[in-house]
């Protein structure tokens, strides 16, 4: 028997007047009148405490009543009368002499105790508090049956506090007898949320947040234990204070419980019978509501034994019935029980739990969780169960199937016999659930192991799918290399070879190797391969379509693309996730069939939403933006491109992100947002191929009126690019713009090449407006033929490409101006300005407007725009070299030509041009030329006067 030394909490406990206060008041009133009484205070649950003992002691001290108090321990049960004697001797309420030599016969001992109690109660009365009375020895229980009635007329107040579920039979019997004889129950006083909040605030000195209050409430209503837990949490750094509000840290549920909390809670549970403790450990390891059968399988105990233990645990309040079995009323208690299990025992229990929950048909992810905690791969039967579960989940919940197979793979390791099979499945599921980067890494890691031919084929095919622009993982060159290695195997079956050759054809086409791609595709088609997965024909048709597009054969590209779509539709939902209709968009766009392209993209979007393949979103936004831009809906094109950029960033589709950023840069530059376009361009150049990056840079430089620099970049682009493939896959306005720059810098060889290539492209696509219009546009620029340019504009009108038509009209108007056909030039430039404005291409519209205004303002030969007022004070700031450079710019020379004439470096000329811009307050070469004209005219007027 121990005296706990606890300070009475009494009225200081938060929450107002506590339950049972009236019972205590009545008992002390009776005591003051010289009458005894018996109070029974049952503790709530196992962790809870009925604070009646502390309140009674406080009230006794206030009234001057003598107190005999003690707390029983489990050891008391083996020492007769130890509980009662220790309590009476505690605090000196009964003299030591009266309690000495109590070894005689029981009647004599009881009589001596009665006399001692009667003497101690003389005067102001006596309070006898027996706390944790459920541990009392049998003789103490029998003694109370005699002493309580014998002292009924004496001022002795008995207070027995106990956990009834933990009491022995003798203690339960005496409690029943006393209650039948008129003893009073003191209702348990569970702490309210406000009371717990008050304890937390008293311990921490700050306001308590709801999370902290909820956490502390898990100890089931003992103020002392609540305070101890809060102190331990604070000491372990699990509590943070912000703006005077104390709250548990966000990841508190993932951190180990502080040892002090674990020890405090487990100390309260230490008195539970051993079968109950085993049941609690099993439930803590299972980590959810559980059945007695599961616990029996886990602990290797009989069901009847654990059924009795479950009844005792429920009665004790440490477990409670839940819809799916037994569960802990508070997660804090479960975590404390779990943390108290020795690590080797815990590992063994998790290993057993994997088999148990698998046999019970529980969630496979729960099985994997136990295996992970056990650090064990599990039995073959468990692995089979998990494998079947993954397969079953694929159709209805691919995300859950993916999580499960990845966790299972991590658990099994590369050396497990089922690892290769599961790796293939995991790669496909990761791809389908938009986790391309992880799928690529997993497949590449597996390909460096010793695989059988089928597994290697399946993984190479998976890599090929990941290299598609929508996924943006890896690159075509890597896939081609892995395919080459796989094709070199001597044990390769025929259908595996067909699949690999189809993959090779598709990826070769993606890298621009059209001839090699067609050779591989023809081999597959000639064999008529219909493999188990059935994708070889689809990929071969797609490869031939891409190769035809790169050769500029648009109708044939569309034909092969449609064959690929038919094959994909035939193969079913899994292959439809490839969204083969996206392969139709480039040839449809090249054939000016914008409505069909839009329809195909709408269908892809609907299928994507239905199949949950959100990874394809960046690509459909990209193609839709290209269609909008070709039609002249630049605002819509920019909106689609921006949506594509967001989608590509969300999915880490790096390759496609470069293309979408470049397209957005092109559209932004065309609309006049040069700063935004420059930002996009810098990022796109790090991700896209050299030809596309060069074109986007040329487009931006032209929009910024930096034509000389644009001409230099264009020269490199034209010299190093497969023009047919470039023209077939890039914006329609690219070729005329490049031709104009080649003409400007006098690169007749490049200009002639463009004339030849565009003519061949038109011949390969009879009846298609865009190639014919492009050929006419380039020829008109090369031959200075306004009629050819007007013809190009008319063909573009028929195709519906407004920006391309506006560009042809603007070039025709400029050429007419140079040839002195003023009225015709005005008409053409006015129409070009109107079209540019309708497309929201403001910089181009302003250029056309300036030229048109210049034609209307000046008689005779026209100049580029309205001549501005001269600025003599700014001209005075120019150096002599800057004046010479400005005059040469006005004469139409490029920076490179000026550098040659003045024997200076191009960089020096660039600096002089920029200085002239700044000092004369102009922004482009046209305005600089106009200032030169205005200055020279003013000087001539002065000289004449």
């Amino acid at each position: 028997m121990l005296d706990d030394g606890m300070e009475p909490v009494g009225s200081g406990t938060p929450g107002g007047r506590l339950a049972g206060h009236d019972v205590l008041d009545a008992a002390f009133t009776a005591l003051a009148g010289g009458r005894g009484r018996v109070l029974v205070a049952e503790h709530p649950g196992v962790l809870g405490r009925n604070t009646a003992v502390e309140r009674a002691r406080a009230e006794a001290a206030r009234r001057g009543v003598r107190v005999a108090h003690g707390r029983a321990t489990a050891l008391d049960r083996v020492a007769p009368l130890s509980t009662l004697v220790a309590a009476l001797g505690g605090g000196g309420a009964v003299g030591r002499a009266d309690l000495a030599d109590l070894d005689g016969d029981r009647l004599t001992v009881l009589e001596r105790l009665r006399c001692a109690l009667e003497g101690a109660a003389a005067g102001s009365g006596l309070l006898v508090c027996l706390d944790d009375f459920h541990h009392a020895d049998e003789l103490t229980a029998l003694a109370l049956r005699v002493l309580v009635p014998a002292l009924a007329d004496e001022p002795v107040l008995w207070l027995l506090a106990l956990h009834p579920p933990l009491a022995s039979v003798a203690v339960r019997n005496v409690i029943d007898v006393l209650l039948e004889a008129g003893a009073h129950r003191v209702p348990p006083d569970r702490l309210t949320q406000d009371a717990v909040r008050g304890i937390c605030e008293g311990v921490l000195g700050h306001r308590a947040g709801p999370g902290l209050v909820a956490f502390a409430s898990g100890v089931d209503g003992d103020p002392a234990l609540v305070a101890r837990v809060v102190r331990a949490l604070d000491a372990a750094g699990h509590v943070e204070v912000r703006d005077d509000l104390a709250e548990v840290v966000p990841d508190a549920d993932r951190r180990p419980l502080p040892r002090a909390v674990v020890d405090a809670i487990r100390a309260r549970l230490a008195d539970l019978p051993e079968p109950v403790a085993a049941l609690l450990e099993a439930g803590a390891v299972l980590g959810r509501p559980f059945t007695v059968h599961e616990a029996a399988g886990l602990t290797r105990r009989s069901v009847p034994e654990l059924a009795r233990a479950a009844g005792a645990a429920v009665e004790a309040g440490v477990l409670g019935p839940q819809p799916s079995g037994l569960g802990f009323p508070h997660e804090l208690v479960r975590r404390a029980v779990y943390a108290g299990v020795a690590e080797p025992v815990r590992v063994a229990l998790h290993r057993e739990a994997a088999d148990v929950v698998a046999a019970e048909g529980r969630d496979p992810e729960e099985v994997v969780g136990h295996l992970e905690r056990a650090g064990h791969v599990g039995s073959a039967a468990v692995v089979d169960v998990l494998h079947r579960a993954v397969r079953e989940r694929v159709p209805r919940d691919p995300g859950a199937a993916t999580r499960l197979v990845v966790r299972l793979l991590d658990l099994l390791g590369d050396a497990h016999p089922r690892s290769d099979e599961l790796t293939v499945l995991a790669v496909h599921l990761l791809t389908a659930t938009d986790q391309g980067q992880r799928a690529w890494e997993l497949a590449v890691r597996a390909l460096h192991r010793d695989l059988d031919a089928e597994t290697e084929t399946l993984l190479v095919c998976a890599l090929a799918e990941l290299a598609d622009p929508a996924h943006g993982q890896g690159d075509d060159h890597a896939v081609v290399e892995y395919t080459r290695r796989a094709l070199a195997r001597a044990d390769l079956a025929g259908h595996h070879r067909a699949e690999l050759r189809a993959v090779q054809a598709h990826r070769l086409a993606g890298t621009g190797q059209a001839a090699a791609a067609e050779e591989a595709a023809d081999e597959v088609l000639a064999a008529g391969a219909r493999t188990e997965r059935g994708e070889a024909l689809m990929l071969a048709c797609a490869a031939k379509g891409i190769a035809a597009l790169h050769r500029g054969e648009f109708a044939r590209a569309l034909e092969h693309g449609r064959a690929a779509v038919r094959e994909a539709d035939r193969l079913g939902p899994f292959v439809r996730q490839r969204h083969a209709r996206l392969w139709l968009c480039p040839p449809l766009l090249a054939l000016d069939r914008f409505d069909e392209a839009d329809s195909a993209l709408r269908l892809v979007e609907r299928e994507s939403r239905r199949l949950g393949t959100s990874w394809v979103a960046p690509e459909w936004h990209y193609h839709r933006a290209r269609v909008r831009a070709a039609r002249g809906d630049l605002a819509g094109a920019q909106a689609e491109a921006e949506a594509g950029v967001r989608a590509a960033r969300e999915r880490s589709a790096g390759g496609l992100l470069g293309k979408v950023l470049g397209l957005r840069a092109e559209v932004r530059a065309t609309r006049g947002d040069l700063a935004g376009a420059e930002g996009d361009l810098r990022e796109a150049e790090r991700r896209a191929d050299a030809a596309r990056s060069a074109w986007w840079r040329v487009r931006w430089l032209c929009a910024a009126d930096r034509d000389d620099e644009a001409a230099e970049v264009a020269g490199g682009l034209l010299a190093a690019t497969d023009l047919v493939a470039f023209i077939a896959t890039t914006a329609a306005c690219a070729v005329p713009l490049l031709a104009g720059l080649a003409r400007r810098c006098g690169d007749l060889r490049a200009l002639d090449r463009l004339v030849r290539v565009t003519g061949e492209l038109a011949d390969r696509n009879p009846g298609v407006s865009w190639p014919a219009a492009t050929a006419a546009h380039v020829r008109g620029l090369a031959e200075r033929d306004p009629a050819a340019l007007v013809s190009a504009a008319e063909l573009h009108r028929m195709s519906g490409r407004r920006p391309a038509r506006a560009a042809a009209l603007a070039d025709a108007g400029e050429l007419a101006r140079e040839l002195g056909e003023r009225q015709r030039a005005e008409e053409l430039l006015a129409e070009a300005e109107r079209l540019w404005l309708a497309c929201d291409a403001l910089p181009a519209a302003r250029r056309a407007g300036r030229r048109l205004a210049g034609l209307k303002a000046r008689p005779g030969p026209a100049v580029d725009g309205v001549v501005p007022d001269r600025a003599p004070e700014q001209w005075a700031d120019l150096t002599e070299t800057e004046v010479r450079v400005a005059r040469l710019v006005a004469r139409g020379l490029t920076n490179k030509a000026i550098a040659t004439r003045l024997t200076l470096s191009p960089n020096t000329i660039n600096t002089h041009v920029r200085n002239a811009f700044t000092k004369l307050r102009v922004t482009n070469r046209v305005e600089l030329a106009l200032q030169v004209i205005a200055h020279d005219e003013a000087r001539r007027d002065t000289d004449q006067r």
Side-chain angles (χ1 to χ4, degrees):
M1 186 80 177
L2 299 174
D3 190 316
D4 60 5
M6 291 176 59
E7 296 180 4
V9 293
S11 59
T13 303
R17 187 173 180 83
L18 298 173
H21 209 112
D22 293 338
V23 177
L24 285 176
D25 284 349
F28 275 102
T29 300
L31 190 66
R35 297 186 305 277
R37 186 166 290 192
V38 179
L39 302 180
V40 177
E42 296 180 353
H43 296 314
V46 173
L47 298 180
R49 302 288 300 175
N50 192 323
T51 58
V53 173
E54 286 73 27
R55 286 185 281 128
R57 291 170 63 190
E59 184 66 14
R62 189 180 69 82
R63 293 173 178 254
V65 176
R66 302 180 73 181
V67 177
H69 171 266
R71 173 174 289 177
T73 69
L75 296 177
D76 287 6
R77 292 183 178 180
V78 298
L81 276 181
S82 59
T83 301
L84 181 59
V85 170
L88 294 179
V94 177
R96 292 184 180 275
D98 294 331
L99 299 175
D101 300 324
L102 295 177
D103 297 330
D105 65 88
R106 292 184 178 180
L107 292 177
T108 302
V109 169
L110 292 176
E111 179 61 21
R112 287 183 60 189
L113 289 175
R114 185 192 66 77
C115 293
L117 287 167
E118 187 176 327
S124 59
L126 173 66
L127 169 65
V128 181
C129 293
L130 301 179
D131 202 355
D132 284 349
F133 187 63
H134 50 273
H135 286 312
D137 62 278
E138 185 175 346
L139 190 53
T140 293
L142 293 174
L144 290 186
R145 298 184 67 168
V146 174
L147 294 175
V148 169
L151 295 170
D153 295 329
E154 299 297 329
V156 178
L157 175 59
W158 300 86
L159 178 56
L160 311 178
L162 74 160
H163 291 289
L166 305 181
S168 65
V169 174
V171 170
R172 290 191 184 191
N173 287 340
V174 75
I175 293 295
D176 290 341
V177 168
L178 293 175
L179 289 172
E180 289 176 4
H184 298 270
R185 292 183 186 273
V186 181
D189 44 356
R190 293 184 181 275
L191 292 179
T192 64
Q193 291 284 302
D194 288 341
V196 174
R197 181 177 294 105
I199 294 172
C200 295
E201 292 174 351
V203 169
L204 299 175
H206 301 281
R207 293 182 299 115
L212 177 60
V213 172
F215 193 100
S217 297
V219 297
D220 204 18
D222 180 1
L225 188 55
V226 169
R228 186 174 176 184
V229 166
V230 172
R231 288 192 189 95
L233 290 173
D234 186 38
H238 288 211
V239 177
E240 61 181 6
V241 179
R242 294 183 179 177
D243 299 328
D244 194 39
L245 182 69
E247 190 58 278
V248 289
V249 295
D251 61 343
D253 57 337
R254 296 190 297 275
R255 295 187 183 185
L257 282 177
R259 193 71 231 176
V261 174
V262 175
D263 292 343
I265 293 176
R266 287 187 67 88
R268 295 292 179 90
L269 302 175
D271 297 331
L272 292 170
E274 193 273 337
V276 176
L279 180 68
L280 295 183
E281 290 183 354
V285 167
L286 289 168
R288 52 158 175 80
F290 60 96
T291 65
V292 172
H293 282 80
E294 288 176 323
L298 188 55
T299 60
R300 304 290 179 91
R301 293 172 181 261
S302 69
V303 171
E305 179 186 13
L306 287 189
R308 291 190 294 272
V314 171
E315 186 181 4
V318 72
L319 289 179
Q322 297 188 12
S324 54
L326 297 171
F328 289 87
H330 299 288
E331 175 64 10
L332 177 61
V333 177
R334 188 203 69 79
R335 291 178 63 193
V337 172
Y338 183 83
V341 180
E343 180 66 21
V345 177
R346 191 187 311 161
V347 168
L349 288 174
H350 276 299
R351 184 170 175 176
E352 292 292 331
D355 289 324
V356 170
V357 298
E360 291 284 329
R362 292 283 186 172
D363 189 336
E365 293 199 28
E366 183 181 350
V367 180
V368 176
H370 287 300
L371 293 177
E372 289 171 338
R373 290 179 175 86
H376 183 69
V377 298
S379 63
V382 169
V383 175
D384 286 339
V385 167
L386 294 174
H387 192 189
R388 286 198 304 273
V390 171
R391 292 284 186 184
E392 291 168 0
R393 287 188 175 200
V394 169
R396 66 177 187 269
D397 191 352
T402 304
R403 291 191 297 273
L404 182 58
V405 74
V406 169
R407 291 175 65 189
L408 184 57
L409 263 180
D410 290 342
L411 188 66
L412 297 180
D414 293 344
H416 194 276
R418 305 291 290 273
S419 178
D420 293 347
E421 179 185 2
L422 289 170
T423 296
V424 173
L425 179 58
V427 168
H428 283 294
L429 287 173
L430 287 166
T431 302
T433 54
D434 199 17
Q435 301 177 67
Q437 182 175 358
R438 192 168 184 185
W440 179 274
E441 293 170 353
L442 184 60
V444 168
R445 188 182 75 189
L447 284 169
H448 287 85
R449 301 200 299 263
D450 184 17
L451 303 174
D452 60 73
E454 180 177 9
T455 301
E456 186 171 3
T457 299
L458 293 174
L459 288 175
V460 170
C461 291
L463 283 186
E465 183 178 351
L466 286 167
D468 280 343
H471 290 292
Q473 303 301 326
D475 59 79
D476 288 326
H477 297 285
V479 176
V480 169
E481 176 57 24
Y482 281 117
T483 306
R484 184 194 61 75
R485 282 175 41 188
L487 284 168
R489 294 182 66 125
D491 59 344
L492 199 62
H495 62 283
H496 291 153
R497 178 176 177 81
E499 284 195 357
L500 290 169
R501 284 292 276 168
V503 165
Q504 189 179 46
H506 193 227
R507 297 343 298 183
L508 285 170
T511 59
Q513 302 177 62
E518 284 218 273
E519 179 185 350
D522 286 339
E523 179 184 329
V524 176
L525 295 173
R530 292 187 179 273
T531 65
E532 182 181 347
R533 293 178 68 238
E535 296 183 38
L537 285 178
M538 178 190 73
L539 291 177
C541 291
K544 288 184 71 68
I546 296 171
L549 182 69
H550 282 224
R551 287 196 310 271
E553 298 172 357
F554 303 148
R556 183 167 295 178
L558 181 60
E559 178 186 346
H560 289 306
R562 283 179 169 161
V565 170
R566 287 194 298 271
E567 194 64 20
D569 289 343
R570 182 188 68 81
L571 293 171
F574 192 82
V575 176
R576 277 205 293 273
Q577 293 181 359
R578 296 288 296 266
H579 296 293
R581 282 175 177 78
L582 288 171
W583 294 328
L584 302 177
C585 294
L588 286 173
L589 184 59
L591 290 166
D592 301 328
R593 293 158 75 163
F594 305 134
D595 290 338
E596 290 182 53
D598 271 333
S599 297
L601 289 169
R602 283 195 297 271
L603 184 56
V604 169
E605 183 176 4
R606 285 199 301 271
E607 279 194 340
S608 172
R609 297 190 192 285
R610 182 172 58 83
L611 297 173
T613 52
S614 59
W615 50 263
V616 80
E619 192 164 6
W620 91 55
H621 283 302
Y622 170 73
H623 287 300
R624 194 171 285 161
R626 289 195 66 201
V627 173
R628 301 286 186 275
R631 279 178 153 165
D633 178 12
L634 296 183
Q638 183 170 333
E640 290 290 346
E642 287 171 352
V645 168
R646 288 194 299 272
R649 289 194 195 282
E650 290 170 2
R651 291 156 184 82
S652 301
L656 191 57
L657 177 59
K659 290 169 61 177
V660 183
L661 280 168
L663 180 57
R664 187 171 73 173
E666 184 180 342
V667 174
R668 279 179 159 177
T670 305
R671 299 184 72 196
D673 180 10
L674 295 181
E678 173 68 4
D680 287 343
L681 184 55
R682 286 177 180 170
E683 185 175 358
E685 287 173 335
R686 298 195 302 268
R687 300 174 181 273
D689 60 81
R692 289 182 186 275
S693 298
W695 157 243
W696 295 327
R697 178 59 63 182
V698 166
R699 192 73 190 85
W700 186 88
L701 290 168
C702 288
D705 287 327
R706 293 161 62 175
D707 292 349
D708 291 338
E709 296 173 63
E712 291 182 17
V713 177
L717 171 62
L718 292 172
T721 303
D722 177 357
L723 284 181
V724 175
F726 176 75
I727 294 170
T729 57
T730 314
C733 60
V735 181
L737 184 58
L738 293 174
L741 292 171
R743 175 173 172 259
R744 177 184 179 87
C745 64
D747 189 351
L748 299 181
R749 179 177 297 179
L751 189 57
D752 289 343
R753 186 180 173 211
L754 285 170
V755 171
R756 177 178 54 79
V757 169
T758 54
E760 293 173 356
L761 196 61
D763 292 340
R764 291 173 191 168
N765 296 278
V768 183
S769 298
W770 168 61
T774 301
H777 195 155
V778 174
R779 187 177 68 255
L781 289 172
E783 299 175 0
R784 294 174 57 81
D785 182 358
L789 294 173
V790 172
S791 174
E794 180 59 20
L795 288 168
H796 281 310
R797 184 189 65 78
M798 296 168 59
S799 70
R801 296 177 182 266
R802 289 190 299 173
R805 183 184 174 210
L809 289 170
D811 284 343
E814 178 62 17
L815 184 55
R817 183 191 68 82
E818 292 176 4
L819 297 174
E821 299 175 7
R822 177 179 299 280
Q823 183 175 355
R824 183 60 172 154
E826 289 182 6
E827 294 172 355
L828 293 169
L829 288 171
E831 180 64 10
E833 181 185 27
R834 184 190 67 78
L835 283 172
W836 285 129
L837 288 172
C839 296
D840 198 32
L842 300 183
R846 284 195 290 268
R847 282 194 297 273
R850 286 197 300 269
R851 292 171 179 172
L852 184 60
L855 283 171
K856 294 179 178 179
R858 293 181 56 82
V863 295
D864 285 343
V866 181
V867 178
D869 294 337
R870 65 192 185 93
E873 63 281 0
Q874 284 88 7
W875 271 92
D877 294 336
L878 266 62
T879 66
E880 181 179 348
T881 303
E882 288 167 355
V883 171
R884 294 174 65 194
V885 169
R887 293 189 185 285
L888 293 172
V889 168
R891 293 173 60 183
L893 273 68
T894 65
N895 285 8
K896 188 174 182 180
I898 297 171
T900 301
R901 176 169 297 194
L902 299 182
T903 63
L904 297 173
S905 72
N907 287 337
T908 302
I909 299 302
N910 288 341
T911 301
H912 289 313
V913 171
R914 284 196 298 270
N915 290 343
F917 279 9
T918 302
K919 293 177 180 179
L920 296 178
R921 299 176 185 173
V922 298
T923 60
N924 54 60
R925 301 171 77 88
V926 174
E927 292 177 358
L928 178 60
L930 294 176
Q931 280 288 353
V932 171
I933 294 171
H935 180 71
D936 289 348
E937 287 183 350
R939 288 186 58 185
R940 283 195 298 271
D941 292 342
T942 302
D943 292 343
Q944 289 174 359
R945 287 195 296 268

